[in-house]
Structure formats: C-alpha cells, structure tokens
Amino acid sequence: MATMNSNVASTSAGTTSIKLGARKEALAQLAKHKQRTLHSLVLEAVDNYVAQEQARLEYEAQAVRSYESFQATGLHITLDELETWAKNLGTTNSPELPVCHK
C-alpha cells in the first residue's frame, strides 16, 4: 500500500508523467543536496503552485465582490483616509480602520 505525504492533497490516486527535459538534472542535483527525492521536490513545487494560484483566484474574487459592493452601495474610503490610517499602523496611537461612507 502506498503512503501519502500529509502535506499533499489528492482527489484521486494515479500517476501523471511529466517530461522534465534538462530540468530533471537540475532537480536531481537539488534533491541530492537537500537529501530528498526528486519526486518529493516536484510534489512540493506543484503543491506550492496550486496553493499560490488558489490564493490569487480568491484575491481576485474578493476584489470583484468588493467592487460589486461599491457599485451597489457607493460605500468607500478615500485614498487619503487609507494612507493616513496605514502611516499610523504600528505606532503607539494606531488608529481604527476608517469607516466606509458615501
């Protein structure tokens, strides 16, 4: 029975072949240096890519939702309000986030 790395999410078992070309030698050298398998490096790279792309898609979806909310309500904060708030973050008198207004 095959064991699965706990950091790897899988929806189905199976094998996918990837032609790495010249990348294979570079990966093999990295794997040897890190005392890991080439397979584990490729899985980590794929997992990182998937997580990064999922985060980007969620960020974009949130931006669309924010814009749609602004279109529907007109509520916003100005750039000046945001900059004033941001400049004071981490100071002894950190301000509250500006309240949205029309």
Side-chain angles (χ1 to χ4, degrees), residues 6-80:
S6 62
N7 295 329
V8 177
S10 176
T11 56
S12 65
T15 301
T16 299
S17 296
I18 301 172
K19 294 182 181 180
L20 297 172
R23 296 176 196 93
K24 187 170 183 177
E25 180 59 34
L27 283 168
Q29 289 176 3
L30 285 171
K32 182 178 179 181
H33 178 75
K34 292 181 162 275
Q35 297 180 341
R36 294 179 55 191
T37 64
L38 188 145
H39 178 81
S40 72
L41 290 182
V42 171
L43 285 179
E44 181 181 5
V46 170
D47 288 344
N48 288 340
Y49 176 79
V50 168
Q52 176 183 337
E53 288 300 306
Q54 287 173 332
R56 183 184 61 78
L57 289 173
E58 177 52 35
Y59 180 81
E60 290 174 358
Q62 177 59 45
V64 169
R65 289 190 301 270
S66 294
Y67 180 70
E68 289 170 345
S69 175
F70 167 71
Q71 292 290 90
T73 67
L75 294 175
H76 68 283
I77 60 173
T78 66
L79 178 59
D80 288 339

Side-chain angles (χ1 to χ4, degrees), residues 75-77 98-102:
L75 294 175
H76 68 283
I77 60 173
V99 177
C100 290
H101 55 82
K102 287 190 177 194

